[in-house]
Amino acid sequence: MRSKLSGGRNRPLNYHSLPFASWHHSTKKDFSTALSEASTTDLWNFIGEQGYVVRQMTLTNKLDPLGYWHPEFGQTLRHRPSHRRRNADVLREVAVSVVDDEPQLSREVFRLRWDSFKQRLLTEVLDPGYDMPSESQFRRLLDNHYDQMAQVLGDVIGPPQLVARIVYMTSHFDFAYVSAKPALLQFVTDALSSSRPFVQRVAVGAFEEWRGSVARDALSGFCSSAEWLNDYVQRVLVELEQESLG
Amino acid sequence: MAYLARKIVDEFWSLDDGVPSEAVTVVADPITNDMRTQSHELSVWRIETLNDIREAVVALTAMYTRLQYIDMVAIDEAAILSRGLTITEELALTPVVDLRDTHRNISNLTARDLGSVAICVFDSIKEGRVWTFTDGEVKDLLNEAISKGRLDKGALEPGVRKKLS
């Protein structure tokens, strides 16, 4: 599907093999040069390799995020010759936003990145004891675009698996970091009241990680439909109580 | 009776009500997400008794990059063998040296075999051979292994090591 959108060529998606992707091993100035010289196909492949191209992209405009971003372009991303230059400009803008992480993303670009992030996240397995591949990307989004993140975190619409993954990644951040981002802390706290025990479980794990009075306060009124989880939390509370006693 | 212990991710096994429903035994998510094979093999840890589940926890969490909770299930080894599946020995990379030779692989797996293993896991859960260990319990088990000289603290990942006493 992607090969059609990028001109119909079946090109290997190893961006290290692309001249354009030399930015990864060089300076931003080099990246800018590479950017200006990159073909539309290179740009498209690069963005895809960074995980920012919607997997379910189809040849209809409906699911085309760039079409949403620049609706007047219609199907130009299919490389209509007359629109080739404008396509490249659009893709260049996306590529820059991917690399620069500038704080002021337009609503459309942020939405594109957030949607892509969510889809990528859902392909990853939440495996306790290990980091998720998307954690650094999540951290960058929070660091650079917290205001916009706060808005979407307050309105996460998606499967409970998505909530669980966001909470799980958050549990790996220091509490000082999380508490400085109230929307993030609220997101985890809300997950304690999820109707799905596996989401609650991950939220409990977050407070286990943070421990101390924060965890005791959050977990003391915990209630789940799953008895095993209620038992689990009681054991955690006993641990926390013992820790508080020294 | 010996068992094969394996870490599970509860999200995929419908532990919401403590036991999975029969219908769950035919869905694909647990197989595609939590039973990923390598070289057609599935990693497990052989334990002689159910009390030994802690040994498997130590072996596994000693390889963690973060000290966190773990869910474990103990599959009846006889149930695996009765389905014609092959169990092979393979030394594990766990830093708990005396547990390395308790590692096994369920080998030569086909897609159909994987379904059989999944059913064994479900049966184990239904029969109550599933445990959950809190962060604190994992920490205690690792500390105990260190104090007994079974585990070199320096061999642990920094994210785990810094949380141990």
Side-chain angles (χ1 to χ4, degrees):
Chain A
M1 194 62 71
R2 185 186 293 166
S3 63
K4 282 194 175 183
L5 285 165
S6 58
R9 284 194 293 155
N10 285 318
R11 181 166 184 156
L13 286 180
N14 177 3
Y15 80 89
H16 289 289
S17 69
L18 302 175
F20 164 67
S22 60
W23 70 272
H24 190 266
H25 302 290
S26 57
T27 66
K28 192 170 287 186
K29 183 178 180 183
D30 291 333
F31 168 70
S32 298
T33 304
L35 194 65
S36 64
E37 296 171 351
S39 70
T40 314
T41 302
D42 285 340
L43 289 163
W44 188 263
N45 285 340
F46 167 74
I47 296 164
E49 279 300 299
Q50 299 305 303
Y52 287 107
V53 173
V54 177
R55 289 174 186 278
Q56 287 84 356
M57 189 172 291
T58 70
L59 287 176
T60 67
N61 285 331
K62 187 177 180 184
L63 291 176
D64 184 340
L66 294 173
Y68 165 66
W69 185 20
H70 282 282
E72 72 275 20
F73 286 1
Q75 299 180 358
T76 58
L77 291 172
R78 298 181 202 168
H79 286 221
R80 282 184 183 174
S82 61
H83 292 156
R84 191 178 298 273
R85 178 181 297 277
R86 297 175 74 188
N87 281 348
D89 290 343
V90 171
L91 289 167
R92 242 173 233 122
E93 194 173 342
V94 175
V96 168
S97 80
V98 165
V99 175
D100 278 0
D101 266 332
E102 74 272 29
Q104 295 300 322
L105 292 181
S106 69
R107 184 177 63 85
E108 290 81 3
V109 174
F110 178 78
R111 176 59 64 178
L112 168 70
R113 296 182 61 173
W114 174 243
D115 288 348
S116 298
F117 173 76
K118 286 192 296 184
Q119 292 193 23
R120 174 178 167 180
L121 195 55
L122 284 170
T123 66
E124 296 175 7
V125 173
L126 188 164
D127 191 4
Y130 299 95
D131 291 345
M132 295 184 70
S134 286
E135 286 194 22
S136 58
Q137 189 181 353
F138 182 52
R139 180 79 177 229
R140 280 201 308 274
L141 283 169
L142 287 166
D143 286 346
N144 297 323
H145 314 293
Y146 174 68
D147 289 344
Q148 288 167 303
M149 284 293 286
Q151 288 181 3
V152 294
L153 285 174
D155 188 30
V156 168
I157 299 172
Q161 286 82 358
L162 178 66
V163 177
R165 279 156 178 72
I166 292 172
V167 171
Y168 179 73
M169 292 188 298
T170 304
S171 75
H172 293 164
F173 302 150
D174 292 339
F175 184 70
Y177 178 85
V178 176
S179 61
K181 294 181 164 38
L184 192 58
L185 181 57
Q186 189 60 48
F187 189 82
V188 179
T189 305
D190 289 348
L192 285 172
S193 307
S194 169
S195 61
R196 302 298 300 272
F198 78 82
V199 176
Q200 290 181 299
R201 165 63 179 278
V202 179
V204 170
F207 285 101
E208 267 189 279
E209 185 79 15
W210 298 327
R211 307 193 85 77
S213 59
V214 171
R216 285 202 306 276
D217 293 346
L219 298 178
S220 58
F222 180 82
C223 183
S224 173
S225 60
E227 272 312 305
W228 67 268
L229 187 53
N230 290 325
D231 294 343
Y232 180 92
V233 169
Q234 287 310 308
R235 280 155 52 199
V236 173
L237 285 169
V238 169
E239 287 175 6
L240 295 171
E241 188 63 31
Q242 288 172 345
E243 285 176 8
S244 72
L245 295 174
Chain B
M1 176 185 287
Y3 298 91
L4 302 174
R6 180 170 168 82
K7 176 187 178 185
I8 59 169
V9 180
D10 60 351
E11 168 186 339
F12 301 114
W13 295 92
S14 290
L15 298 180
D16 291 9
D17 303 316
V19 292
S21 68
E22 288 296 333
V24 175
T25 60
V26 297
V27 302
D29 276 5
I31 296 173
T32 54
N33 288 285
D34 201 26
M35 295 183 68
R36 286 167 294 168
T37 58
Q38 287 192 331
S39 303
H40 318 293
E41 294 178 329
L42 204 60
S43 173
V44 291
W45 298 80
R46 190 174 195 272
I47 54 176
E48 293 295 337
T49 70
L50 293 180
N51 283 333
D52 293 334
I53 194 74
R54 289 172 180 76
E55 297 287 278
V57 169
V58 171
L60 275 165
T61 56
M63 295 186 285
Y64 266 11
T65 56
R66 292 180 176 276
L67 198 154
Q68 286 190 300
Y69 58 86
I70 188 170
D71 291 319
M72 296 292 294
V73 66
I75 309 164
D76 185 348
E77 185 182 59
I80 293 291
L81 294 172
S82 70
R83 291 172 184 269
L85 302 173
T86 306
I87 300 170
T88 55
E89 297 182 15
E90 183 187 42
L91 286 180
L93 296 174
T94 178
V96 189
V97 178
D98 65 316
L99 292 177
R100 286 179 178 170
D101 64 358
T102 64
H103 182 258
R104 299 286 185 276
N105 287 319
I106 304 175
S107 307
N108 304 319
L109 288 167
T110 64
R112 188 186 300 271
D113 292 338
L114 212 49
S116 295
V117 178
I119 290 171
C120 288
V121 173
F122 279 125
D123 288 344
S124 304
I125 294 171
K126 279 190 289 188
E127 291 163 13
R129 292 194 304 275
V130 60
W131 296 266
T132 181
F133 292 83
T134 66
D135 290 19
E137 289 165 340
V138 170
K139 180 179 172 182
D140 289 345
L141 287 170
L142 290 176
N143 274 329
E144 184 183 350
I146 292 169
S147 67
K148 289 182 175 176
R150 301 175 67 199
L151 172 60
D152 174 11
K153 191 174 177 181
L156 296 169
E157 291 287 335
V160 176
R161 193 165 58 229
K162 71 183 180 187
K163 294 203 169 184
L164 298 180
S165 55

